Amino acid sequence: VPFPSPRPRAWRATMLLFQLPDDVFYHILSYLDCRSLSRLSQVCKSFYRFVNRDAVWRKIAKEGLNTGITRDGTDRYPHIPLKERVKIAQNWCDGICKKAVPLKWKTKLLPWLQLDGDGEILFLSQAANIEAYYLRQDPGKLQSNPFKIYSANNGDVCHFVLTDSHLISGRSDGKILIHSRTSDMLVELSGHNQEVNCLDSKDGLIISGSRDRTVRIWTLTSSCPKETISMYDRVWSVAISPTLSSFVTGTACCNNFSPLRIWDVERLQCVCCLGSEFRRGAGVLDMVFESPFQLLSCGYDTFIRLWDLRLSPRKCVMEWEEPHDSTLYCIQTDGNHLIASGSSYYGVVRLWDKRQTECLQFFQLSSDSVSSPVYCLRFNSSHLYAALATSLHSLDFRQNPIYIR
């Protein structure tokens, strides 16, 4: 009887790996990059099942762009496997996407848009109406017709926000309309005498800002403003802190006052001004709280600024300049490393990695002969949508990188 040959070394190594406790195996895999993990998953079915677990990819996902893992560890897209999100994150970083124009219209508008919490419904303002579309699985496409239209006889929509139960819009005639998302109920709030350029709402609290140089505080249960704050300039943007204890106003900066101010919700007093070296006309057009202590702002002075509200005095800790000296109309963040911005010329969308000072990627959405600002942009895990004067554009980042399968 011939002497049995020894077991192949690779086979014995595989068996020994699987004899390790899961936490030890996870620790070993934490040293591998995307390419190595992908190759390891092709060794056998057991490796494939283990490597595809979210826990294996979580460390890589936290370092990626728009993977849904925020700085505090919150997962925005728990229904999507992390490996799939890491694939798409590489495309965001490399600028690999497919462009499409899901909607066009003839009249030039100032559209605004929002995505619902799960990123499956897109809300787009069209003159006096707000249309709701289901997002299809086909790249960059919407359902052919809106499944719901929130209409009114009031002025055109300047800005609107979504809550879980309501859609709240500011109008060009100075009114605020509150539509229920579950019924046909409509509430009209009157108080401003010029267009409502901006508003924000959280937990029943509504803050609105207007061209009439006032900020008004409302609640969902009252038809009259709770309080009114007189400002020195037109108000272009407002944002409520996640803690609901304060809000920030951004003005046109035409009267040599700082355009960014923090206000206490209860006392209605200005807590502080952010920055002191803004030039005249450096109005703030958009801002977003990334956490209770971090605020991002952008506007006419072509900079995106990150403000740390924990410092004393509160100050700008990072800034990114638009390379072509264009006004920045809108920004959005993934809560971690990615910022997307919309510029005033040629429909330029830029992607920024906050760990770098230079622009990461840019996309020109309008032609050289027809220039339009990006009035609003929003993104989910795989798509970015941008609203221009006569069209809605989409960027689909679901193309497969060659080294992640």
Side-chain angles (χ1 to χ4, degrees):
V1 178
F3 190 80
S5 61
R7 294 172 178 175
R9 180 175 298 177
W11 184 82
R12 285 187 286 119
T14 301
M15 295 300 294
L16 290 174
L17 275 176
F18 277 115
Q19 290 172 0
L20 294 174
D22 282 0
D23 57 341
V24 176
F25 198 21
Y26 281 133
H27 183 72
I28 294 172
L29 297 185
S30 69
Y31 290 94
L32 301 184
D33 58 14
C34 296
R35 186 192 298 267
S36 300
L37 284 173
S38 299
R39 287 177 174 174
L40 183 63
S41 69
Q42 298 172 354
V43 171
C44 64
K45 291 182 179 180
S46 297
F47 271 152
Y48 178 82
R49 286 191 292 267
F50 196 96
V51 170
N52 276 12
R53 297 180 182 180
D54 278 359
V56 175
W57 294 89
R58 191 169 185 84
K59 180 180 178 181
I60 295 176
K62 195 166 185 179
E63 297 302 313
L65 299 181
N66 194 31
T67 59
I69 305 298
T70 61
R71 187 176 293 102
D72 62 6
T74 303
D75 193 344
R76 290 183 172 181
Y77 312 117
H79 59 289
I80 305 176
L82 270 180
K83 181 181 178 181
E84 297 301 315
R85 287 183 263 166
V86 171
K87 287 183 185 179
I88 300 173
Q90 189 61 49
N91 292 333
W92 286 85
C93 183
D94 297 337
I96 301 172
C97 65
K98 184 176 181 179
K99 298 181 182 179
V101 184
L103 287 176
K104 290 184 177 181
W105 49 90
K106 295 181 180 179
T107 305
K108 287 188 176 182
L109 302 173
L110 302 177
W112 197 256
L113 60 87
Q114 296 283 359
L115 295 175
D116 75 335
D118 295 329
E120 297 176 353
I121 301 176
L122 183 141
F123 295 81
L124 174 69
S125 64
Q126 295 278 277
N129 297 332
I130 299 174
E131 301 172 349
Y133 294 87
Y134 286 118
L135 298 176
R136 297 172 54 185
Q137 294 301 315
D138 298 335
K141 293 187 177 180
L142 311 178
Q143 295 288 356
S144 56
N145 295 307
F147 71 88
K148 189 166 185 178
I149 298 177
Y150 299 87
S151 60
N153 296 323
N154 303 67
D156 288 355
V157 177
C158 299
H159 192 106
F160 70 90
V161 295
L162 291 174
T163 68
D164 292 338
S165 56
H166 294 86
L167 188 155
I168 307 167
S169 61
R171 303 277 170 157
S172 60
D173 60 0
K175 293 183 172 57
I176 297 172
L177 299 187
I178 303 175
H179 292 268
S180 171
R181 295 182 61 181
T182 57
S183 68
D184 294 329
M185 186 187 73
L186 173 63
V187 176
E188 181 180 296
L189 306 180
S190 299
H192 293 288
N193 54 40
Q194 294 188 50
E195 59 261 36
V196 180
N197 295 315
C198 54
L199 53 84
D200 196 10
S201 178
K202 286 183 175 66
D203 199 26
L205 175 69
I206 303 172
I207 309 290
S208 62
S210 171
R211 194 182 183 90
D212 66 5
R213 302 185 179 187
T214 64
V215 169
R216 297 182 187 268
I217 295 91
W218 317 74
T219 63
L220 285 174
T221 58
S222 175
S223 59
C224 298
K226 182 180 177 182
E227 297 289 348
T228 299
I229 301 175
S230 296
M231 308 290 287
Y232 294 98
D233 275 319
R234 293 164 290 176
V235 184
W236 289 133
S237 54
V238 296
I240 301 174
S241 168
T243 63
L244 304 178
S245 61
S246 62
F247 64 92
V248 184
T249 57
T251 60
C253 196
C254 292
N255 289 314
N256 296 323
F257 292 98
S258 172
L260 278 171
R261 294 188 172 195
I262 302 178
W263 302 82
D264 184 275
V265 169
E266 294 297 329
R267 295 178 294 153
L268 297 179
Q269 294 180 350
C270 179
V271 177
C272 71
C273 298
L274 298 180
S276 58
E277 297 181 356
F278 291 93
R279 65 175 185 264
R280 180 180 174 85
V284 176
L285 294 177
D286 197 13
M287 53 189 170
V288 58
F289 273 98
E290 197 168 46
S291 74
F293 309 108
Q294 292 183 311
L295 178 75
L296 285 163
S297 66
C298 71
Y300 284 111
D301 67 347
T302 76
F303 279 90
I304 300 172
R305 289 188 170 90
L306 175 62
W307 304 88
D308 193 328
L309 307 184
R310 293 169 295 187
L311 301 177
S312 181
R314 300 168 176 87
K315 63 180 181 180
C316 174
V317 292
M318 293 186 71
E319 60 183 28
W320 300 268
E321 184 177 11
E322 214 287 334
H324 293 158
D325 199 32
S326 299
T327 297
L328 294 172
Y329 271 64
C330 52
I331 51 174
Q332 189 185 355
T333 172
D334 68 347
N336 197 4
H337 300 303
L338 176 68
I339 304 173
S341 65
S343 302
S344 58
Y345 295 115
Y346 304 114
V348 171
V349 170
R350 295 187 184 274
L351 303 182
W352 309 79
D353 187 332
K354 289 195 294 185
R355 296 164 293 189
Q356 305 175 19
T357 56
E358 302 296 325
C359 170
L360 184 65
Q361 300 292 340
F362 84 97
F363 309 91
Q364 182 177 326
L365 303 182
S366 63
S367 64
D368 293 339
S369 59
V370 182
S371 176
S372 169
V374 177
Y375 290 109
C376 185
L377 59 79
R378 293 289 181 266
F379 59 77
N380 55 25
S381 63
S382 59
H383 287 75
L384 184 147
Y385 297 92
L388 278 62
T390 58
S391 55
L392 173 71
H393 294 251
S394 72
L395 303 177
D396 178 8
F397 291 89
R398 293 179 300 176
Q399 317 302 313
N400 279 335
I402 42 180
Y403 58 86
I404 303 182
R405 297 298 183 189

